[in-house]
Amino acid sequence: MDEKVLLGHGSGGTMMRRIIDEVFFDAYGGEELAAGNDAADLPLPAEGERLAYSTDSFVVTPHFFPGGDIGHLAVCGTVNDVATSGAAPKYLSCGFILEEGFPMEDLKRICQSMADVAKEAGVRIVTGDTKVVNRGHGDGVYINTSGVGFIPAGRVLGGQYCKPGDKVLVSGTLGDHGITIMSCREELSFRADLKSDAAPLNHLIAEVLEAAPHTRCFRDPTRGGLASTLNELAEQSGVDMVVDEMNVPVKDAVRGACEMLGYDVFQVANEGKMVCVVPAEESELALEAMRANEYGTDAAIIGEVLPCPDDRSPRVSIRTGFGSMRILDMLVGEQLPRIC
Amino acid sequence: MDEKVLLGHGSGGTMMRRIIDEVFFDAYGGEELAAGNDAADLPLPAEGERLAYSTDSFVVTPHFFPGGDIGHLAVCGTVNDVATSGAAPKYLSCGFILEEGFPMEDLKRICQSMADVAKEAGVRIVTGDTKVVNRGHGDGVYINTSGVGFIPAGRVLGGQYCKPGDKVLVSGTLGDHGITIMSCREELSFRADLKSDAAPLNHLIAEVLEAAPHTRCFRDPTRGGLASTLNELAEQSGVDMVVDEMNVPVKDAVRGACEMLGYDVFQVANEGKMVCVVPAEESELALEAMRANEYGTDAAIIGEVLPCPDDRSPRVSIRTGFGSMRILDMLVGEQLPRIC
């Protein structure tokens, strides 16, 4: 096998065939990829279920970082997006845009990482595509994944269903992914204490839904962080939200880094956290279910949903440690480009 | 709206929201995108149908060319891949990787083109993602689409089902897309006569299946051209194939360009052509159905399937205009990088 990716690996000919067989198939090939047709042919579930469908591209730099890599992220990100609908994620597609000269060893490592986390999540990569761009028109590797899952009959989740009185939960500490990537790029000294939280959360979501079946919605606070996620939900439902800063779990190292760098931890990206809004009477059950999962040990109830007055648009506020209130705005520009 | 794409448009914050609303939603937004959740929530068909699922990334340069653009291609390519399974394509995902500084007007034009051809094909873009990479790490715009369709109960197509005696059809002239792109890049003089054939072929496929229900398989001869497609099918089915060169439709301008540039037209990419293998007794019906479709007026029966002797691997041959035979090999390296 060639040591580096060449333009010919994207040709549609025998070189492309070789990279598919020796890299992609070797890492995560199954019967659908083996069939070698242009579309995977897959069974559908029982009548009454619905389709959940999502996509994400991944352009993170560096490609490898403490706690994960771009391949791990590409599987987790789409698994989590599909799972937020209450679906069991089932199938993934995977499109690579490789830059000429990218080391084949790195590509293999990325594919293995995708295979491992796909297995953990219980999803299969069933269809794919490979393009190679000439040197200077990429950054080694970009990955797009899309994902399909099936939503059980009668299950309806969505950001539009939050109601005053509901509790807001988060499955763990904020900011780990964003600050880890940042520290890798800048080679900052606090780096040793940190790793990305990237993780597949579909099992955690299923367990929360088992414990708290009236959960309104899940959303993963990736780009734009908790601030963007809560503002989106508040707007979709036409409600206010208030978050108690003291209850929001943040690691000391992340808090320190944010203070030093001038970041608002509420706007920093997470890749292994889930926000969920649950009716008050089921919120403790949801919390217990989260904490029982390996990726939810630091879960907390961080706030609640309030009615939004008629005379203004929905608002998310934070009650600070000093008891004062401040408005939690959505991120406006770009804080940390290419975080995922 | 900003005139150029900025890093902040990929931030997850309000700038990203604006590009989604003012560019993507404006072009092809429907109820699923409007719902604003992380995964689209979609109905499934009746029990017994199956899922067809495919993906492709598009990195073609230039972005705009006679007969289409990267957005048009991104919809057609995935629609066609899904349709080759005999499915009715239904939903698309769309992931953009934009380079900082890309003109917003170009992006809008691309999105409008996606919207128009999606409408023609009868598919809807139901979920998407936007990433922005810093200047010098992309080439304006890369697009990934994935597509989902449903395969009617009892319909089974695939490259593994070709049988000796079957006929090989192609839905029109070869090489139009590849040579058009090539001529745009090089500003060659024959450019005026050519345009890309990029087109959605799902309706054509449905019409062929109506006329010739025992059709074995469809495949679109994109990268690697007819040569790669036929070699793939021959290998999947363990059969030989022979193609009559005289029967293969090629436009004069394309033939001339190939001669001048030293390309084998059988290895040049097509984006609006379909190869199909049909039992002999249904082949004339399939041909009529193709020719009745606007994208199949130049369709032809170009060859047939033969048994492969036990003592060697499957082989595709061409009977030339002079009556001699030559072997039609798969493309080995790269002929025209970034053709799609």
Side-chain angles (χ1 to χ4, degrees):
Chain A
M1 188 70 198
D2 307 280
E3 279 184 14
K4 291 189 183 293
V5 171
L6 306 170
L7 282 171
H9 289 120
S11 65
T14 54
M15 282 180 68
M16 191 165 92
R17 184 68 168 276
R18 207 160 66 227
I19 197 176
I20 290 171
D21 287 348
E22 295 181 19
V23 180
F24 307 131
F25 196 84
D26 191 58
Y28 51 68
E31 56 182 317
E32 293 81 12
L33 287 176
N37 290 314
D38 277 346
D41 181 335
L42 303 158
L44 282 173
E47 210 154 346
E49 302 204 2
R50 304 189 317 282
L51 181 73
Y53 190 20
S54 192
T55 190
D56 251 330
S57 300
F58 296 85
V59 300
V60 65
T61 174
H63 301 125
F64 301 94
F65 45 82
D69 58 55
I70 189 172
H72 180 262
L73 211 55
V75 170
C76 293
T78 291
V79 160
N80 292 347
D81 279 347
V82 170
T84 57
S85 67
K90 193 98 177 145
Y91 307 120
L92 295 186
S93 73
C94 175
F96 284 96
I97 297 178
L98 302 170
E99 186 185 11
E100 189 186 10
F102 187 65
M104 204 61 84
E105 275 311 310
D106 286 0
L107 184 59
K108 286 184 179 175
R109 207 174 134 200
I110 288 166
C111 289
Q112 191 53 53
S113 166
M114 297 181 79
D116 293 344
V117 69
K119 191 171 174 194
E120 181 190 343
V123 298
R124 287 187 301 128
I125 300 168
V126 296
T127 184
D129 178 59
T130 314
K131 293 291 186 301
V132 181
V133 295
N134 30 333
R135 223 178 270 267
H137 288 294
D139 199 1
V141 55
Y142 297 144
I143 305 177
N144 174 282
T145 50
S146 78
V148 157
F150 302 118
I151 310 171
R155 178 173 292 168
V156 182
L157 297 170
Q160 66 273 43
Y161 300 121
C162 304
K163 290 189 176 58
D166 290 350
K167 299 293 182 185
V168 179
L169 285 74
V170 67
S171 64
T173 54
L174 288 192
D176 300 26
H177 179 74
I179 296 299
T180 301
I181 297 297
M182 184 64 198
S183 70
C184 287
R185 287 195 205 148
E186 308 294 336
E187 308 212 2
L188 296 173
S189 58
F190 50 79
R191 178 171 166 183
D193 302 329
L194 285 175
K195 63 175 192 164
S196 167
D197 57 352
L201 299 178
N202 53 320
H203 301 313
L204 178 145
I205 286 178
E207 288 150 21
V208 169
L209 284 170
E210 182 83 13
H214 296 91
T215 295
R216 313 293 189 197
C217 64
F218 294 91
R219 187 152 306 171
D220 53 339
T222 56
R223 285 177 292 171
L226 185 71
S228 289
T229 292
L230 295 185
N231 274 287
E232 283 171 22
L233 298 178
E235 191 180 315
Q236 278 184 272
S237 289
V239 295
D240 280 6
M241 291 186 179
V242 64
V243 171
D244 275 300
E245 189 166 25
M246 299 299 289
N247 295 341
V248 178
V250 181
K251 291 201 174 89
D252 287 342
V254 170
R255 197 185 302 278
C258 283
E259 279 171 14
M260 193 173 91
L261 300 164
Y263 290 138
D264 181 348
V265 72
F266 292 101
Q267 296 189 332
V268 177
N270 312 276
E271 291 290 340
K273 295 293 149 40
M274 201 48 73
V275 168
C276 111
V277 178
V278 186
E281 60 276 19
E282 292 183 359
S283 59
E284 289 294 336
L285 296 166
L287 181 66
E288 271 174 44
M290 276 189 177
R291 287 186 174 166
N293 183 288
E294 63 176 312
Y295 297 124
T297 48
D298 297 321
I301 296 176
I302 60 168
E304 65 181 329
V305 180
L306 299 174
C308 171
D310 288 338
D311 60 349
R312 63 161 171 79
S313 47
R315 179 182 288 175
V316 180
S317 310
I318 296 220
R319 191 176 294 121
T320 68
F322 310 104
S324 62
M325 298 286 274
R326 70 173 171 99
I327 292 191
L328 187 63
D329 270 330
M330 255 178 126
L331 182 63
V332 177
E334 180 55 297
Q335 191 185 46
L336 293 165
R338 298 182 57 190
I339 209 71
C340 61
Chain B
M1 190 70 198
D2 308 281
E3 278 184 16
K4 290 187 183 294
V5 172
L6 305 170
L7 282 171
H9 289 121
S11 65
T14 53
M15 282 180 68
M16 189 163 94
R17 183 68 169 277
R18 205 160 67 227
I19 197 176
I20 290 172
D21 287 348
E22 296 181 19
V23 180
F24 307 131
F25 196 84
D26 191 57
Y28 51 68
E31 56 182 317
E32 293 81 11
L33 287 176
N37 290 313
D38 277 347
D41 181 336
L42 303 159
L44 282 172
E47 211 153 346
E49 301 204 3
R50 304 187 319 281
L51 180 74
Y53 190 20
S54 193
T55 190
D56 252 331
S57 299
F58 296 83
V59 299
V60 66
T61 173
H63 301 125
F64 300 94
F65 45 81
D69 58 56
I70 189 172
H72 180 261
L73 212 55
V75 170
C76 293
T78 291
V79 160
N80 292 348
D81 279 348
V82 170
T84 57
S85 67
K90 193 98 176 145
Y91 307 120
L92 296 186
S93 73
C94 175
F96 284 96
I97 297 178
L98 303 170
E99 185 185 12
E100 189 186 8
F102 187 64
M104 204 61 81
E105 273 312 308
D106 286 0
L107 184 58
K108 286 185 180 175
R109 207 174 134 200
I110 288 165
C111 289
Q112 191 53 52
S113 167
M114 297 181 78
D116 293 344
V117 69
K119 190 172 175 196
E120 180 190 343
V123 299
R124 287 188 300 128
I125 300 168
V126 296
T127 184
D129 178 58
T130 314
K131 293 289 187 303
V132 181
V133 295
N134 30 335
R135 222 178 269 269
H137 288 295
D139 200 1
V141 55
Y142 297 144
I143 305 178
N144 174 282
T145 50
S146 79
V148 158
F150 302 118
I151 309 171
R155 179 173 292 169
V156 182
L157 297 170
Q160 66 273 43
Y161 301 121
C162 304
K163 291 189 177 56
D166 290 351
K167 299 292 183 187
V168 179
L169 284 74
V170 67
S171 63
T173 54
L174 289 192
D176 300 27
H177 178 75
I179 295 299
T180 301
I181 296 296
M182 183 65 198
S183 70
C184 287
R185 287 194 205 149
E186 309 294 336
E187 307 211 4
L188 296 173
S189 56
F190 49 81
R191 178 172 166 182
D193 302 329
L194 286 175
K195 62 175 191 165
S196 167
D197 57 352
L201 299 178
N202 53 320
H203 301 313
L204 179 144
I205 287 178
E207 287 151 21
V208 170
L209 284 171
E210 182 84 13
H214 297 92
T215 295
R216 314 292 189 196
C217 63
F218 295 92
R219 186 152 308 171
D220 55 338
T222 56
R223 286 177 292 172
L226 185 71
S228 289
T229 292
L230 295 184
N231 274 286
E232 283 171 22
L233 298 178
E235 192 181 314
Q236 278 184 271
S237 290
V239 296
D240 280 6
M241 291 186 179
V242 65
V243 171
D244 274 300
E245 188 166 25
M246 299 299 290
N247 295 340
V248 178
V250 181
K251 289 200 174 90
D252 287 342
V254 170
R255 198 186 302 277
C258 283
E259 278 170 15
M260 193 173 91
L261 300 164
Y263 290 137
D264 182 348
V265 72
F266 292 100
Q267 296 190 331
V268 176
N270 311 277
E271 291 291 339
K273 295 294 149 41
M274 202 48 74
V275 168
C276 108
V277 179
V278 186
E281 60 275 20
E282 292 184 358
S283 59
E284 289 294 336
L285 295 167
L287 181 66
E288 272 173 44
M290 274 188 178
R291 287 187 173 165
N293 183 288
E294 63 177 313
Y295 297 123
T297 48
D298 297 321
I301 297 177
I302 59 169
E304 65 181 328
V305 180
L306 301 174
C308 171
D310 287 340
D311 61 348
R312 62 161 171 80
S313 46
R315 179 183 287 174
V316 180
S317 310
I318 297 223
R319 191 177 293 120
T320 69
F322 311 105
S324 63
M325 298 286 273
R326 68 173 172 101
I327 293 194
L328 186 64
D329 271 330
M330 256 177 122
L331 182 63
V332 177
E334 179 55 296
Q335 193 185 42
L336 293 165
R338 299 183 54 192
I339 208 71
C340 61

